[in-house]
Amino acid sequence: MHDAFENGPDFSELPTYVEDTGEVKWVLEWALRRDIPSPVISESQEALMAYRDLEWPAAKAVALLRHEYGGHPLHRAEEQFVRT
């Protein structure tokens, strides 16, 4: 996160919508078909969706961490977030 702040844009302009790559949904569907409980994975998916499009510093931090660590694209609506 330090590197993102050091090299990244103004935190106030950071979007909080993180694109979902689909892997988590795939894992949850796979587990459900096999009756395998996956509460931590399920809760993490719910948290991701709950943080979308909130003008809240914690939501921006989650989006920034997901972008920096997992390479998930950041965008608001149809607009792709690009660092300059």
Side-chain angles (χ1 to χ4, degrees):
M1 188 171 232
H2 171 271
D3 292 343
F5 281 127
E6 192 73 24
N7 303 317
D10 180 8
F11 192 66
S12 67
E13 295 181 18
L14 183 69
T16 60
Y17 188 94
V18 179
E19 193 171 310
D20 189 353
T21 59
E23 289 117 350
V24 173
K25 289 178 185 174
W26 177 85
V27 168
L28 287 172
E29 289 171 5
W30 181 89
L32 284 170
R33 282 193 301 271
R34 289 159 180 78
D35 293 327
I36 300 171
S38 307
V40 174
I41 297 170
S42 179
E43 288 180 32
S44 68
Q45 178 67 23
E46 289 177 27
L48 167 65
M49 293 184 298
Y51 279 115
R52 285 182 173 167
D53 292 329
L54 296 176
E55 288 301 319
W56 187 37
K60 292 180 182 224
V62 168
L64 186 61
L65 286 170
R66 287 182 52 90
H67 178 66
E68 290 297 316
Y69 182 74
H72 298 281
L74 294 167
H75 60 85
R76 177 172 284 149
E78 298 300 319
E79 202 172 298
Q80 189 76 12
F81 180 73
V82 179
R83 276 198 235 182
T84 57

